[in-house]
Amino acid sequence: MQPNNSSRTDSDIKPSNYLLPNGTGLKFFGDNLDARNSIEYPLQFCSAQDAAASRNNPIPVEVIFEDYYPSRALPAWLDEKVVNNRTGPETVSMFYTETGEIAAVLADEGSFVCGRFLNNPQRLQLILGKTSARQSILLPPVAVFVPLLQEIMQADSSLLFHSAGVFFPNGVGAMIVADSGGGKTTTSIAVLRQGARLLADDLIVVKDNSSGLVIHGIPEPINLTTDTKSFFPELGKLQNLPRRDSITDKQVLDPRLAYGEDCFIGKTGLNVIYFVEVSGKGPSVQPIPLQDSLGILIKAATFARKQKLRPESGQLIFDVISRARTYRLQTGPDPVALGKWLCERSSEHAA
């Protein structure tokens, strides 16, 4: 499991309440501190609220850690999926039953993480276990939690995207879409330091309401690579930033330390979508045909192998690309110049 830099201690193992920006409440409980910290990591900047703060009762999320196998917490059909779908530490697989139960499985030869989304009433269950004598579970539980969070969003007529979100000083709201390592963080910081505000660096919720398309951020600490830090002088000056984990060289930054307490914004209208291409040419944008945009956004909204989107989610994606301007953004060689250029041109792109 990935370590977390939270200051929680064993005495703090009690239910945690989070209110997501779109009004969904989540209540986590379970006795394993490491597992809880890893799963709750993306939500740590969301408001910790009482049950009454959410639109409805918060959805319970039970985290179970088992030091043996077979798992006593898994139903037989799901136990079979864990045994037969050990596709490696980077592939999460989704399964759907005729009774409406949804499961996500991440498994290797030594351990597994399995999540269940159940209806009537809605609840999540996340089970971590070993399938060998391995000393620890090396799989990231949050990789299973996020696809199940998408199922919660879809049940609420919202949709989760692997995307950054920013609000430009001129009032334009934008999504910045790219694969992992594809430039979302660098592009977001580039405009943040020019006065834009950040909804989130990695997870954005889109909802269509009476006032139009609205994007909500699920804010979390920014994971900085050495290259990203080197682009921006103010980040290079920050010393002793914690490591994200023991595997990568990424460091964890609360952006408020560098860009002020008000650098986050909870929601905004959606006007523009930038699909990032890291390139030595640019900065420049080219409009993208609707069909190409559709394929990219479907990919950005599916977080696991064989994850299904509901028909109304497909309609929401179509509405997004029909009503927001979509561009392929070539970044150019200088992120500092890119940030200034985007802040100057975003209103033109949204027109």
Side-chain angles (χ1 to χ4, degrees):
M1 288 185 303
Q2 298 179 13
N4 184 271
N5 298 296
S6 169
S7 61
R8 288 169 55 191
T9 65
D10 289 336
S11 62
D12 298 318
I13 302 178
K14 55 188 178 182
S16 303
N17 287 280
Y18 297 94
L19 184 64
L20 303 188
N22 71 331
T24 299
L26 298 175
K27 182 176 183 178
F28 288 80
F29 59 100
D31 294 333
N32 189 279
L33 179 64
D34 287 339
R36 285 270 303 277
N37 277 345
S38 180
I39 295 166
E40 295 176 35
Y41 176 84
L43 306 177
Q44 62 183 277
F45 289 167
C46 292
S47 300
Q49 297 286 347
D50 295 330
S54 62
R55 274 197 315 264
N56 305 298
N57 291 329
I59 297 170
V61 182
E62 181 183 15
V63 181
I64 301 170
F65 184 89
E66 298 184 324
D67 202 16
Y68 46 82
Y69 192 82
S71 168
R72 292 183 294 191
L74 293 178
W77 75 269
L78 193 49
D79 182 80
E80 183 269 335
K81 300 298 184 186
V82 169
V83 171
N84 294 324
N85 287 276
R86 297 176 188 174
T87 51
E90 297 182 357
T91 304
V92 181
S93 297
M94 300 292 291
F95 302 95
Y96 299 81
T97 70
E98 294 181 356
T99 60
E101 184 174 343
I102 302 170
V105 174
L106 179 63
D108 61 15
E109 291 304 318
S111 57
F112 72 94
V113 181
C114 182
R116 302 169 67 197
F117 176 55
L118 303 101
N119 268 309
N120 300 318
Q122 286 187 351
R123 61 197 187 280
L124 289 186
Q125 190 180 64
L126 289 148
I127 305 104
L128 292 71
K130 300 178 185 178
T131 54
S132 72
R134 175 183 287 176
Q135 293 297 311
S136 62
I137 294 174
L138 302 179
L139 301 170
V142 72
V144 169
F145 169 65
V146 172
L148 294 172
L149 183 61
Q150 176 68 292
E151 301 297 335
I152 291 175
M153 293 296 107
Q154 290 194 88
D156 187 47
S157 300
S158 304
L159 203 57
L160 187 68
F161 287 94
H162 184 209
S163 169
V166 297
F167 178 71
F168 288 101
N170 54 24
V172 170
M175 289 172 58
I176 299 171
V177 181
D179 292 335
S180 295
K184 290 191 308 297
T185 295
T186 300
T187 304
S188 299
I189 294 175
V191 298
L192 186 60
R193 67 196 306 273
Q194 294 290 333
R197 299 175 71 185
L198 183 67
L199 286 94
D201 172 58
D202 199 56
L203 294 175
I204 293 294
V205 180
V206 178
K207 192 173 182 67
D208 191 2
N209 61 26
S210 58
S211 60
L213 294 171
V214 177
I215 53 176
H216 305 260
I218 299 182
E220 62 179 286
I222 291 176
N223 296 319
L224 295 175
T225 64
T226 302
D227 286 342
T228 299
K229 282 189 68 177
S230 69
F231 291 140
F232 308 111
E234 68 276 10
L235 299 184
K237 296 176 183 178
L238 297 175
Q239 302 296 319
N240 301 318
L241 292 176
R243 292 281 296 275
R244 174 64 181 95
D245 53 48
S246 59
I247 301 172
T248 70
D249 67 345
K250 291 183 178 181
Q251 294 180 306
V252 177
L253 170 69
D254 180 343
R256 293 171 293 192
L257 296 177
Y259 303 110
E261 286 294 324
D262 63 347
C263 72
F264 278 121
I265 188 171
K267 65 179 181 179
T268 181
L270 176 61
N271 308 107
V272 181
I273 304 174
Y274 295 110
F275 299 110
V276 178
E277 280 189 358
V278 177
S279 170
K281 298 179 180 179
S284 64
V285 295
Q286 299 84 36
I288 304 181
L290 185 146
Q291 188 66 31
D292 293 348
S293 298
L294 183 64
I296 297 171
L297 282 186
I298 289 174
K299 180 182 178 183
T302 48
F303 295 86
R305 188 170 68 95
K306 297 184 179 180
Q307 180 156 35
K308 297 179 181 179
L309 296 179
R310 301 184 182 194
E312 54 269 31
S313 297
Q315 181 61 51
L316 179 56
I317 292 178
F318 187 82
D319 290 343
V320 165
I321 60 176
S322 299
R323 292 153 59 183
R325 301 287 186 177
T326 57
Y327 297 95
R328 197 174 305 279
L329 169 65
Q330 290 190 310
T331 61
D334 183 359
V336 173
L338 170 66
K340 182 177 180 182
W341 184 84
L342 280 172
C343 286
E344 291 174 348
R345 300 292 185 90
S346 55
S347 59
E348 174 186 327
H349 299 160

